[in-house]
Coordinates of all heavy atoms in Angstrom, one line a residue:
M145 N -2.2 33.2 27.6 CA -3.0 32.0 28.0 C -3.3 31.2 26.8 O -3.1 30.0 26.8 CB -4.3 32.6 28.7 CG -5.0 31.5 29.5 SD -4.0 30.9 30.9 CE -5.1 29.7 31.6
R146 N -3.8 31.8 25.8 CA -4.1 31.1 24.5 C -2.8 30.4 24.0 O -2.9 29.2 23.6 CB -4.6 32.1 23.5 CG -5.8 31.7 22.8 CD -6.2 32.8 21.8 NE -6.3 32.2 20.5 CZ -7.4 31.8 20.0 NH1 -8.5 32.0 20.6 NH2 -7.5 31.3 18.8
W147 N -1.8 31.2 23.9 CA -0.5 30.7 23.3 C 0.1 29.5 24.1 O 0.5 28.5 23.6 CB 0.5 31.8 23.2 CG 0.2 32.6 22.0 CD1 -0.2 33.9 21.9 CD2 0.4 32.2 20.6 NE1 -0.4 34.3 20.6 CE2 0.0 33.3 19.8 CE3 0.8 31.0 20.0 CZ2 0.0 33.2 18.4 CZ3 0.8 31.0 18.6 CH2 0.4 32.1 17.8
S148 N 0.0 29.7 25.5 CA 0.7 28.7 26.3 C -0.1 27.4 26.2 O 0.5 26.3 26.3 CB 0.8 29.2 27.7 OG -0.5 29.4 28.3
S149 N -1.4 27.5 26.1 CA -2.2 26.2 26.0 C -1.9 25.5 24.6 O -1.9 24.3 24.5 CB -3.7 26.4 26.2 OG -4.2 27.3 25.3
L150 N -1.8 26.4 23.6 CA -1.4 25.8 22.3 C -0.1 25.1 22.3 O 0.1 24.0 21.8 CB -1.3 27.0 21.2 CG -2.6 27.3 20.5 CD1 -2.4 28.4 19.5 CD2 -3.1 26.1 19.7
L151 N 0.9 25.8 22.9 CA 2.2 25.2 23.1 C 2.2 23.9 23.8 O 2.8 22.9 23.4 CB 3.1 26.3 23.8 CG 4.6 25.9 23.9 CD1 5.2 25.8 22.5 CD2 5.4 26.9 24.7
L152 N 1.4 23.9 24.9 CA 1.3 22.7 25.7 C 0.7 21.6 24.8 O 1.2 20.5 24.8 CB 0.4 23.0 26.9 CG 0.3 21.8 27.9 CD1 1.6 21.5 28.5 CD2 -0.7 22.2 29.0
A153 N -0.3 21.9 24.1 CA -0.9 20.9 23.2 C 0.1 20.4 22.2 O 0.2 19.2 22.0 CB -2.1 21.5 22.5
A154 N 0.9 21.3 21.7 CA 1.9 20.8 20.7 C 3.0 19.9 21.4 O 3.4 18.9 20.8 CB 2.6 22.1 20.1
L155 N 3.4 20.3 22.6 CA 4.4 19.5 23.3 C 3.8 18.1 23.6 O 4.5 17.1 23.5 CB 4.8 20.2 24.6 CG 5.7 21.4 24.4 CD1 5.9 22.1 25.7 CD2 7.1 20.9 23.8
V156 N 2.6 18.1 24.0 CA 2.0 16.8 24.4 C 1.7 16.0 23.1 O 2.0 14.8 23.1 CB 0.6 17.0 25.1 CG1 -0.1 15.7 25.3 CG2 0.9 17.7 26.5
A157 N 1.4 16.6 22.0 CA 1.0 15.9 20.8 C 2.2 15.3 20.1 O 2.2 14.3 19.5 CB 0.2 16.8 19.9
T158 N 3.4 16.1 20.1 CA 4.5 15.8 19.3 C 5.2 14.4 19.5 O 5.3 13.7 18.5 CB 5.6 16.9 19.4 OG1 4.9 18.1 19.0 CG2 6.7 16.6 18.4
P159 N 5.5 14.0 20.7 CA 6.3 12.8 20.9 C 5.7 11.6 20.2 O 6.3 10.9 19.5 CB 6.5 12.7 22.4 CG 6.2 14.0 22.9 CD 5.2 14.7 22.0
A160 N 4.4 11.4 20.5 CA 3.8 10.2 19.9 C 3.7 10.2 18.4 O 4.0 9.2 17.8 CB 2.3 10.1 20.5
A161 N 3.4 11.4 17.9 CA 3.3 11.5 16.4 C 4.7 11.4 15.7 O 4.8 10.8 14.7 CB 2.6 12.8 16.0
A162 N 5.7 12.0 16.4 CA 7.0 12.1 15.7 C 7.8 10.8 15.8 O 8.7 10.5 15.0 CB 7.8 13.2 16.3
R163 N 7.5 10.0 16.8 CA 8.2 8.7 17.0 C 7.3 7.5 17.0 O 7.1 6.9 18.1 CB 9.0 8.8 18.3 CG 10.1 9.9 18.2 CD 11.2 9.7 19.3 NE 10.7 10.1 20.6 CZ 11.0 9.5 21.7 NH1 11.7 8.4 21.7 NH2 10.5 9.9 22.8
P164 N 6.9 7.1 15.9 CA 6.1 5.9 15.9 C 7.0 4.7 16.3 O 8.1 4.6 15.9 CB 5.6 5.7 14.4 CG 6.6 6.6 13.6 CD 7.1 7.7 14.6
V165 N 6.4 3.8 17.0 CA 7.2 2.7 17.5 C 7.5 1.7 16.3 O 6.5 1.3 15.7 CB 6.5 1.9 18.6 CG1 7.3 0.7 19.0 CG2 6.2 2.8 19.8
P166 N 8.7 1.5 15.9 CA 9.0 0.6 14.8 C 8.7 -0.9 15.2 O 9.5 -1.5 15.9 CB 10.5 0.8 14.5 CG 11.0 1.4 15.8 CD 9.9 2.0 16.5
T167 N 7.7 -1.4 14.7 CA 7.4 -2.8 14.9 C 7.7 -3.6 13.7 O 7.9 -3.0 12.6 CB 5.9 -3.0 15.3 OG1 5.1 -2.6 14.2 CG2 5.5 -2.2 16.5
E168 N 7.7 -4.9 13.8 CA 8.0 -5.7 12.6 C 6.9 -5.5 11.5 O 7.1 -5.5 10.3 CB 8.0 -7.1 13.0 CG 9.3 -7.5 13.7 CD 9.4 -8.9 14.1 OE1 8.4 -9.6 14.1 OE2 10.5 -9.3 14.4
A169 N 5.6 -5.2 12.0 CA 4.5 -5.1 11.1 C 4.7 -3.8 10.3 O 4.5 -3.8 9.0 CB 3.2 -5.0 11.8
T170 N 5.1 -2.7 10.9 CA 5.3 -1.4 10.1 C 6.5 -1.5 9.2 O 6.4 -1.0 8.1 CB 5.4 -0.2 11.1 OG1 6.5 -0.4 11.9 CG2 4.1 0.0 11.9
Q171 N 7.5 -2.2 9.6 CA 8.7 -2.4 8.7 C 8.3 -3.2 7.5 O 8.7 -2.8 6.4 CB 9.8 -3.1 9.4 CG 10.6 -2.2 10.4 CD 11.6 -2.9 11.2 OE1 11.7 -4.1 11.1 NE2 12.3 -2.2 12.1
A172 N 7.5 -4.2 7.7 CA 7.1 -5.0 6.5 C 6.2 -4.3 5.6 O 6.3 -4.5 4.4 CB 6.4 -6.3 7.0
S173 N 5.4 -3.3 6.0 CA 4.5 -2.6 5.2 C 5.1 -1.3 4.8 O 4.3 -0.5 4.2 CB 3.1 -2.5 5.8 OG 3.3 -1.7 7.0
A174 N 6.3 -1.0 5.1 CA 6.9 0.3 4.7 C 6.9 0.4 3.2 O 7.0 -0.6 2.5 CB 8.3 0.4 5.2
P175 N 6.8 1.7 2.7 CA 6.8 1.9 1.2 C 8.1 1.3 0.6 O 9.2 1.7 1.0 CB 6.8 3.4 1.0 CG 6.8 4.0 2.4 CD 6.7 2.9 3.4
I176 N 8.0 0.3 -0.3 CA 9.1 -0.5 -0.6 C 10.1 0.3 -1.5 O 11.3 0.0 -1.6 CB 8.7 -1.8 -1.3 CG1 9.9 -2.7 -1.4 CG2 8.1 -1.6 -2.7 CD1 9.6 -4.2 -1.4
G177 N 9.6 1.3 -2.3 CA 10.5 2.1 -3.1 C 11.6 2.7 -2.3 O 12.8 2.6 -2.7
V178 N 11.3 3.2 -1.1 CA 12.3 3.8 -0.2 C 13.2 2.8 0.3 O 14.4 2.8 0.3 CB 11.6 4.6 0.9 CG1 12.7 5.2 1.9 CG2 10.8 5.8 0.3
A179 N 12.6 1.7 0.9 CA 13.3 0.6 1.5 C 14.2 0.0 0.5 O 15.4 -0.3 0.8 CB 12.4 -0.4 2.1
A180 N 13.7 -0.2 -0.7 CA 14.5 -0.8 -1.8 C 15.8 -0.1 -2.1 O 16.9 -0.6 -2.1 CB 13.6 -0.9 -3.1
A181 N 15.7 1.2 -2.3 CA 16.8 2.0 -2.6 C 17.9 1.9 -1.4 O 19.1 1.9 -1.6 CB 16.4 3.5 -2.8
Q182 N 17.4 1.9 -0.2 CA 18.3 1.9 1.0 C 19.0 0.6 1.0 O 20.2 0.5 1.3 CB 17.5 2.1 2.3 CG 17.1 3.6 2.4 CD 16.2 3.8 3.6 OE1 15.7 2.8 4.2 NE2 16.0 5.0 4.0
I183 N 18.4 -0.5 0.7 CA 19.0 -1.8 0.7 C 20.2 -1.8 -0.2 O 21.3 -2.2 0.2 CB 18.1 -2.9 0.2 CG1 16.9 -3.2 1.2 CG2 18.8 -4.2 -0.1 CD1 15.9 -4.2 0.6
F184 N 20.1 -1.2 -1.4 CA 21.2 -1.3 -2.3 C 22.2 -0.2 -2.1 O 23.4 -0.5 -2.4 CB 20.6 -1.2 -3.8 CG 19.6 -2.2 -4.1 CD1 18.3 -1.9 -4.4 CD2 20.0 -3.6 -4.0 CE1 17.4 -3.0 -4.7 CE2 19.1 -4.6 -4.2 CZ 17.8 -4.3 -4.6
E185 N 21.8 0.9 -1.5 CA 22.8 1.9 -1.1 C 23.7 1.4 0.0 O 24.9 1.7 0.1 CB 22.2 3.2 -0.7 CG 21.8 4.0 -1.9 CD 20.8 5.1 -1.5 OE1 20.7 5.5 -0.3 OE2 20.1 5.5 -2.4
R186 N 23.2 0.5 0.9 CA 24.0 0.1 2.0 C 24.9 -1.1 1.7 O 25.8 -1.3 2.4 CB 23.0 -0.5 3.1 CG 22.6 0.5 4.1 CD 22.2 -0.2 5.4 NE 21.1 -1.2 5.1 CZ 19.8 -0.9 5.4 NH1 19.5 0.2 5.8 NH2 19.0 -1.9 5.1
D187 N 24.6 -1.8 0.6 CA 25.3 -3.1 0.4 C 25.8 -3.2 -1.1 O 25.0 -3.3 -2.0 CB 24.4 -4.2 0.8 CG 25.1 -5.5 0.9 OD1 26.1 -5.7 0.1 OD2 24.7 -6.3 1.7
W188 N 27.1 -3.1 -1.3 CA 27.6 -3.0 -2.6 C 27.4 -4.3 -3.4 O 27.3 -4.4 -4.6 CB 29.1 -2.7 -2.6 CG 30.0 -3.7 -2.0 CD1 30.4 -3.7 -0.7 CD2 30.6 -4.8 -2.7 NE1 31.2 -4.8 -0.5 CE2 31.4 -5.5 -1.7 CE3 30.6 -5.3 -3.9 CZ2 32.1 -6.7 -1.9 CZ3 31.3 -6.5 -4.2 CH2 32.0 -7.1 -3.2
V189 N 27.3 -5.4 -2.6 CA 27.1 -6.7 -3.3 C 25.7 -6.7 -3.9 O 25.5 -7.1 -5.1 CB 27.2 -7.9 -2.2 CG1 26.7 -9.2 -2.8 CG2 28.6 -8.1 -1.7
L190 N 24.7 -6.2 -3.1 CA 23.4 -6.2 -3.7 C 23.3 -5.1 -4.8 O 22.5 -5.3 -5.8 CB 22.4 -5.9 -2.6 CG 22.3 -6.9 -1.5 CD1 21.1 -6.7 -0.6 CD2 22.3 -8.3 -2.0
M191 N 24.0 -4.0 -4.6 CA 24.0 -3.0 -5.6 C 24.5 -3.5 -6.9 O 23.9 -3.3 -8.0 CB 24.8 -1.8 -5.1 CG 24.8 -0.6 -6.1 SD 23.2 0.0 -6.6 CE 23.1 1.5 -5.5
N192 N 25.6 -4.2 -6.9 CA 26.2 -4.8 -8.1 C 25.3 -5.7 -8.7 O 25.1 -5.7 -10.0 CB 27.5 -5.6 -7.6 CG 28.8 -4.9 -8.0 OD1 28.7 -3.9 -8.7 ND2 29.9 -5.5 -7.6
W193 N 24.7 -6.6 -7.9 CA 23.7 -7.6 -8.5 C 22.5 -6.9 -9.1 O 22.1 -7.2 -10.2 CB 23.3 -8.5 -7.3 CG 22.1 -9.3 -7.7 CD1 22.1 -10.5 -8.4 CD2 20.7 -9.1 -7.3 NE1 20.8 -10.9 -8.5 CE2 20.0 -10.1 -7.8 CE3 20.1 -8.1 -6.6 CZ2 18.6 -10.2 -7.7 CZ3 18.8 -8.1 -6.4 CH2 18.0 -9.1 -6.9
A194 N 22.0 -5.9 -8.4 CA 20.8 -5.2 -8.9 C 21.1 -4.5 -10.2 O 20.3 -4.5 -11.1 CB 20.4 -4.1 -7.8
L195 N 22.3 -3.9 -10.3 CA 22.7 -3.2 -11.5 C 22.9 -4.2 -12.7 O 22.5 -4.0 -13.8 CB 24.0 -2.4 -11.4 CG 23.8 -1.1 -10.6 CD1 25.2 -0.5 -10.3 CD2 22.9 -0.1 -11.3
K196 N 23.5 -5.4 -12.4 CA 23.6 -6.4 -13.4 C 22.3 -7.0 -13.9 O 22.2 -7.3 -15.1 CB 24.5 -7.6 -12.9 CG 26.0 -7.4 -12.9 CD 26.7 -8.6 -12.5 CE 28.2 -8.3 -12.1 NZ 28.8 -9.3 -11.3
T197 N 21.4 -7.1 -13.0 CA 20.2 -7.8 -13.3 C 19.0 -6.9 -13.6 O 18.0 -7.3 -14.3 CB 19.8 -8.8 -12.2 OG1 19.6 -8.1 -11.0 CG2 20.8 -9.9 -12.0
H198 N 19.0 -5.7 -13.0 CA 17.8 -4.9 -13.1 C 18.0 -3.5 -13.7 O 17.0 -2.7 -13.7 CB 17.1 -4.8 -11.8 CG 16.4 -6.1 -11.4 ND1 17.1 -7.2 -10.8 CD2 15.1 -6.6 -11.6 CE1 16.2 -8.2 -10.7 NE2 15.1 -7.9 -11.2
D199 N 19.2 -3.2 -14.1 CA 19.4 -1.9 -14.7 C 19.0 -1.9 -16.2 O 19.8 -2.0 -17.1 CB 20.9 -1.4 -14.6 CG 21.1 -0.1 -15.2 OD1 20.2 0.7 -15.3 OD2 22.3 0.2 -15.5
T200 N 17.7 -1.9 -16.4 CA 17.2 -2.2 -17.7 C 17.6 -1.2 -18.8 O 17.8 -1.6 -20.0 CB 15.7 -2.4 -17.7 OG1 15.1 -1.3 -17.0 CG2 15.2 -3.6 -17.0
D201 N 17.8 0.0 -18.4 CA 18.2 1.0 -19.4 C 19.7 1.2 -19.5 O 20.2 2.1 -20.2 CB 17.5 2.3 -19.3 CG 17.7 2.9 -17.9 OD1 18.5 2.3 -17.1 OD2 17.1 4.0 -17.6
R202 N 20.5 0.4 -18.7 CA 21.9 0.4 -18.7 C 22.6 1.8 -18.5 O 23.6 2.1 -19.2 CB 22.4 -0.2 -20.1 CG 22.0 -1.6 -20.3 CD 22.8 -2.6 -19.5 NE 22.2 -3.9 -19.5 CZ 22.3 -4.7 -18.4 NH1 23.0 -4.4 -17.4 NH2 21.7 -5.8 -18.4
D203 N 22.0 2.6 -17.6 CA 22.6 3.9 -17.3 C 23.5 3.8 -16.0 O 23.9 4.8 -15.5 CB 21.6 5.0 -17.3 CG 20.6 4.8 -16.1 OD1 20.6 3.7 -15.4 OD2 19.8 5.7 -15.9
I204 N 23.7 2.6 -15.5 CA 24.5 2.3 -14.3 C 23.9 3.1 -13.1 O 24.6 3.5 -12.2 CB 26.0 2.7 -14.5 CG1 26.4 2.3 -15.9 CG2 26.8 2.0 -13.5 CD1 27.8 2.5 -16.2
L205 N 22.6 3.3 -13.2 CA 21.9 3.9 -12.0 C 20.6 3.1 -11.8 O 20.0 2.6 -12.8 CB 21.5 5.3 -12.3 CG 22.6 6.4 -12.4 CD1 22.1 7.7 -13.0 CD2 23.3 6.6 -11.0
L206 N 20.2 2.9 -10.5 CA 19.0 2.3 -10.3 C 17.9 3.3 -10.1 O 17.9 4.1 -9.1 CB 19.1 1.4 -9.0 CG 19.7 0.0 -9.0 CD1 19.5 -0.6 -7.7 CD2 19.0 -0.8 -10.1
S207 N 17.0 3.4 -11.0 CA 15.8 4.3 -10.8 C 14.9 3.7 -9.8 O 15.1 2.5 -9.4 CB 15.1 4.4 -12.2 OG 14.5 3.2 -12.5
A208 N 14.0 4.4 -9.3 CA 13.0 3.9 -8.3 C 12.4 2.7 -8.8 O 12.2 1.7 -8.1 CB 12.0 5.0 -8.0
R209 N 12.0 2.7 -10.1 CA 11.3 1.5 -10.7 C 12.2 0.3 -10.7 O 11.8 -0.8 -10.4 CB 10.9 1.9 -12.1 CG 9.9 0.9 -12.7 CD 9.8 1.2 -14.2 NE 8.5 0.7 -14.6 CZ 7.6 1.6 -15.1 NH1 7.8 2.8 -15.3 NH2 6.4 1.1 -15.5
E210 N 13.5 0.5 -11.1 CA 14.4 -0.6 -11.2 C 14.8 -1.1 -9.8 O 14.9 -2.3 -9.6 CB 15.7 -0.1 -11.9 CG 15.5 0.2 -13.4 CD 16.7 1.0 -14.0 OE1 17.5 1.5 -13.2 OE2 16.7 1.1 -15.2
A211 N 14.9 -0.2 -8.9 CA 15.2 -0.6 -7.5 C 14.0 -1.4 -6.9 O 14.2 -2.4 -6.2 CB 15.4 0.6 -6.6
Q212 N 12.8 -1.0 -7.2 CA 11.6 -1.7 -6.8 C 11.6 -3.1 -7.4 O 11.4 -4.1 -6.6 CB 10.4 -1.0 -7.3 CG 9.1 -1.7 -7.2 CD 8.4 -1.5 -5.9 OE1 8.2 -0.4 -5.5 NE2 8.1 -2.6 -5.2
A213 N 11.9 -3.3 -8.7 CA 11.9 -4.6 -9.3 C 13.0 -5.5 -8.7 O 12.8 -6.6 -8.4 CB 12.1 -4.4 -10.8
A214 N 14.2 -4.8 -8.5 CA 15.3 -5.6 -7.9 C 15.0 -6.0 -6.5 O 15.3 -7.1 -6.1 CB 16.6 -4.7 -8.0
A215 N 14.4 -5.1 -5.7 CA 14.0 -5.5 -4.4 C 13.0 -6.6 -4.3 O 13.1 -7.5 -3.5 CB 13.5 -4.3 -3.6
D216 N 12.1 -6.6 -5.2 CA 11.1 -7.7 -5.3 C 11.8 -9.0 -5.6 O 11.5 -10.0 -5.0 CB 10.1 -7.4 -6.4 CG 9.1 -6.3 -6.0 OD1 9.0 -6.0 -4.8 OD2 8.4 -5.8 -6.9
A217 N 12.8 -8.9 -6.6 CA 13.5 -10.1 -7.0 C 14.4 -10.6 -5.8 O 14.4 -11.8 -5.5 CB 14.4 -9.8 -8.2
F218 N 15.0 -9.7 -5.1 CA 15.8 -10.0 -4.0 C 15.0 -10.7 -2.9 O 15.3 -11.7 -2.3 CB 16.5 -8.8 -3.4 CG 17.4 -9.1 -2.2 CD1 18.5 -9.9 -2.3 CD2 16.9 -8.8 -0.9 CE1 19.3 -10.2 -1.2 CE2 17.7 -9.1 0.2 CZ 18.9 -9.8 0.1
R219 N 13.8 -10.1 -2.6 CA 12.9 -10.7 -1.6 C 12.5 -12.1 -2.0 O 12.5 -13.0 -1.1 CB 11.7 -9.8 -1.5 CG 10.7 -10.2 -0.4 CD 9.5 -9.3 -0.3 NE 9.9 -8.0 0.1 CZ 9.6 -7.5 1.3 NH1 8.9 -8.2 2.2 NH2 10.0 -6.3 1.7
A220 N 12.2 -12.3 -3.3 CA 11.9 -13.7 -3.7 C 13.0 -14.7 -3.5 O 12.8 -15.8 -3.1 CB 11.5 -13.6 -5.2
I221 N 14.3 -14.2 -3.7 CA 15.4 -15.1 -3.5 C 15.6 -15.3 -2.0 O 15.8 -16.4 -1.5 CB 16.7 -14.4 -4.0 CG1 16.7 -14.4 -5.6 CG2 17.9 -15.2 -3.6 CD1 17.8 -13.5 -6.2
A222 N 15.5 -14.2 -1.2 CA 15.9 -14.3 0.2 C 14.9 -14.9 1.1 O 15.2 -15.5 2.1 CB 16.2 -12.8 0.7
D223 N 13.6 -14.7 0.8 CA 12.6 -15.1 1.8 C 12.3 -16.6 1.7 O 11.3 -17.0 1.1 CB 11.3 -14.3 1.5 CG 10.2 -14.5 2.6 OD1 10.6 -15.1 3.7 OD2 9.1 -14.2 2.3
G224 N 13.2 -17.3 2.2 CA 13.2 -18.8 2.1 C 11.9 -19.4 2.6 O 11.4 -20.4 2.0
D225 N 11.4 -18.9 3.7 CA 10.2 -19.6 4.3 C 8.9 -18.9 3.8 O 7.8 -19.2 4.3 CB 10.2 -19.6 5.8 CG 10.4 -18.2 6.4 OD1 10.4 -17.2 5.7 OD2 10.6 -18.1 7.6
E226 N 9.1 -17.9 2.9 CA 7.9 -17.3 2.2 C 6.9 -16.7 3.2 O 5.7 -16.8 3.0 CB 7.2 -18.2 1.3 CG 8.1 -18.7 0.2 CD 7.5 -19.6 -0.9 OE1 6.4 -20.1 -0.5 OE2 8.0 -19.7 -1.9
D227 N 7.4 -16.1 4.3 CA 6.5 -15.4 5.2 C 6.4 -13.9 4.9 O 5.8 -13.2 5.7 CB 6.9 -15.7 6.7 CG 8.3 -15.0 7.0 OD1 8.9 -14.5 6.1 OD2 8.6 -15.0 8.2
G228 N 7.0 -13.5 3.8 CA 6.8 -12.1 3.4 C 7.8 -11.2 4.0 O 7.9 -10.0 3.7
R229 N 8.7 -11.7 4.9 CA 9.7 -10.9 5.5 C 11.1 -11.5 5.3 O 11.2 -12.7 5.3 CB 9.4 -10.7 7.1 CG 8.2 -10.0 7.4 CD 8.1 -9.6 8.8 NE 8.1 -10.8 9.7 CZ 9.0 -11.0 10.6 NH1 9.9 -10.1 10.8 NH2 9.0 -12.1 11.3
V230 N 12.1 -10.6 5.2 CA 13.4 -11.1 5.1 C 14.2 -10.9 6.4 O 14.4 -9.8 6.8 CB 14.2 -10.4 4.0 CG1 15.6 -10.9 3.9 CG2 13.5 -10.7 2.6
T231 N 14.4 -12.0 7.1 CA 15.1 -11.9 8.4 C 16.6 -11.6 8.2 O 17.1 -11.9 7.0 CB 15.0 -13.2 9.2 OG1 15.6 -14.2 8.5 CG2 13.5 -13.5 9.5
P232 N 17.3 -11.2 9.2 CA 18.8 -11.0 9.0 C 19.5 -12.3 8.5 O 20.4 -12.2 7.7 CB 19.3 -10.6 10.4 CG 18.1 -9.9 11.0 CD 16.9 -10.6 10.5
T233 N 19.0 -13.4 9.0 CA 19.6 -14.7 8.6 C 19.3 -15.0 7.1 O 20.2 -15.3 6.4 CB 19.0 -15.9 9.4 OG1 19.2 -15.6 10.8 CG2 19.7 -17.2 9.1
E234 N 18.1 -14.7 6.7 CA 17.7 -14.9 5.3 C 18.5 -13.9 4.4 O 18.9 -14.3 3.3 CB 16.2 -14.7 5.1 CG 15.4 -15.9 5.7 CD 13.9 -15.6 5.7 OE1 13.5 -14.5 5.7 OE2 13.1 -16.6 5.7
Y235 N 18.6 -12.7 4.9 CA 19.4 -11.7 4.2 C 20.8 -12.1 3.9 O 21.3 -12.1 2.8 CB 19.3 -10.4 5.0 CG 20.1 -9.2 4.3 CD1 19.4 -8.3 3.5 CD2 21.4 -9.1 4.6 CE1 20.1 -7.2 3.0 CE2 22.1 -8.0 4.0 CZ 21.4 -7.1 3.2 OH 22.1 -6.1 2.7
R236 N 21.4 -12.6 5.0 CA 22.9 -13.1 4.8 C 23.0 -14.2 3.9 O 23.9 -14.3 3.1 CB 23.4 -13.4 6.2 CG 24.0 -12.3 7.0 CD 24.8 -12.7 8.2 NE 24.1 -13.5 9.1 CZ 23.4 -12.9 10.1 NH1 23.4 -11.6 10.2 NH2 22.7 -13.6 10.9
A237 N 22.1 -15.2 4.0 CA 22.1 -16.3 3.1 C 21.9 -15.9 1.7 O 22.6 -16.4 0.8 CB 21.0 -17.3 3.5
A238 N 21.0 -15.0 1.4 CA 20.8 -14.5 0.0 C 22.0 -13.8 -0.5 O 22.3 -13.9 -1.7 CB 19.5 -13.6 0.0
R239 N 22.6 -13.0 0.4 CA 23.8 -12.2 0.0 C 24.9 -13.2 -0.4 O 25.6 -13.0 -1.4 CB 24.2 -11.4 1.2 CG 25.2 -10.3 0.8 CD 25.6 -9.5 2.1 NE 26.5 -8.4 1.8 CZ 27.8 -8.5 1.7 NH1 28.3 -9.7 1.9 NH2 28.6 -7.5 1.4
E240 N 25.1 -14.3 0.4 CA 26.1 -15.3 0.0 C 25.8 -15.9 -1.3 O 26.7 -16.1 -2.2 CB 26.1 -16.4 1.1 CG 26.5 -15.9 2.5 CD 28.0 -15.8 2.6 OE1 28.7 -16.8 2.3 OE2 28.5 -14.7 3.0
F241 N 24.5 -16.2 -1.5 CA 24.1 -16.8 -2.8 C 24.4 -15.9 -3.9 O 25.0 -16.4 -5.0 CB 22.6 -17.1 -2.7 CG 22.0 -17.5 -4.0 CD1 22.1 -18.9 -4.4 CD2 21.3 -16.6 -4.8 CE1 21.5 -19.3 -5.6 CE2 20.7 -17.0 -6.0 CZ 20.8 -18.4 -6.4
I242 N 24.1 -14.7 -3.8 CA 24.3 -13.7 -4.9 C 25.8 -13.5 -5.1 O 26.3 -13.5 -6.3 CB 23.6 -12.3 -4.5 CG1 22.1 -12.5 -4.7 CG2 24.2 -11.2 -5.3 CD1 21.3 -11.3 -4.2
L243 N 26.5 -13.4 -4.0 CA 28.0 -13.2 -4.1 C 28.6 -14.4 -4.9 O 29.5 -14.2 -5.7 CB 28.6 -13.1 -2.7 CG 29.9 -12.5 -2.5 CD1 30.0 -11.1 -3.2 CD2 30.2 -12.3 -1.0
A244 N 28.2 -15.6 -4.6 CA 28.7 -16.8 -5.2 C 28.3 -16.9 -6.7 O 29.0 -17.4 -7.5 CB 28.3 -18.0 -4.5
R245 N 27.1 -16.5 -7.0 CA 26.5 -16.8 -8.3 C 26.8 -15.7 -9.3 O 26.9 -15.9 -10.5 CB 25.0 -17.0 -8.1 CG 24.3 -17.2 -9.4 CD 23.0 -17.9 -9.3 NE 22.4 -17.9 -10.6 CZ 21.1 -18.2 -10.7 NH1 20.3 -18.5 -9.7 NH2 20.5 -18.2 -11.9
Y246 N 26.8 -14.4 -8.9 CA 26.9 -13.3 -9.8 C 28.3 -12.6 -9.8 O 29.0 -12.7 -8.9 CB 25.8 -12.3 -9.5 CG 24.4 -12.8 -9.8 CD1 23.7 -13.4 -8.7 CD2 23.9 -12.8 -11.1 CE1 22.4 -13.9 -9.0 CE2 22.6 -13.3 -11.3 CZ 21.9 -13.8 -10.2 OH 20.7 -14.4 -10.5
Ligands
CA76 CA1 18.9 2.4 -14.8
CA77 CA1 11.2 -15.1 5.8

């Protein structure tokens, strides 16, 4: 009886806790160190640029700190309307800009 009610509680509690609904607000406030690294791992254009401009110790790796700085710089370039978020359109425009310039 005790165990089954515990199990039931776990089953009821888990879905909401394990799957937070990804809203634009939570994406914008996500820890940027993690998000930063992912941006550059996904896109070689940005990775190249980040290494050229923010690999301060020249070890051809982006440390968390370097990735953070690069992500901040990328956001500054990309967020054309300065609303604090980079939309897919802004992202593409910034990528083109970086590709052409660097
Ligand atoms: Ca480095
Ligand atoms: Ca924006």
Side-chain angles (χ1 to χ4, degrees):
M145 197 61 181
R146 228 182 123 93
W147 280 108
S148 65
S149 59
L150 270 180
L151 186 62
L152 185 63
L155 285 173
V156 171
T158 304
R163 292 196 287 139
V165 179
T167 63
E168 288 182 341
T170 56
Q171 281 174 0
S173 62
I176 193 153
V178 176
Q182 285 173 349
I183 291 172
F184 301 122
E185 276 163 24
R186 265 203 309 259
D187 193 326
W188 67 267
V189 171
L190 298 191
M191 178 59 99
N192 253 353
W193 167 80
L195 285 173
K196 276 183 197 162
T197 57
H198 287 85
D199 181 23
T200 47
D201 58 4
R202 299 285 163 212
D203 63 353
I204 321 184
L205 291 168
L206 276 188
S207 66
R209 191 194 210 117
E210 290 165 349
Q212 166 91 54
D216 287 347
F218 178 72
R219 186 179 292 251
I221 292 170
D223 187 15
D225 57 7
E226 297 184 345
D227 65 351
R229 294 191 302 122
V230 176
T231 64
T233 307
E234 288 173 335
Y235 179 95
R236 273 195 297 276
R239 192 179 185 277
E240 296 280 305
F241 171 80
I242 285 169
L243 201 50
R245 175 159 173 196
Y246 292 94

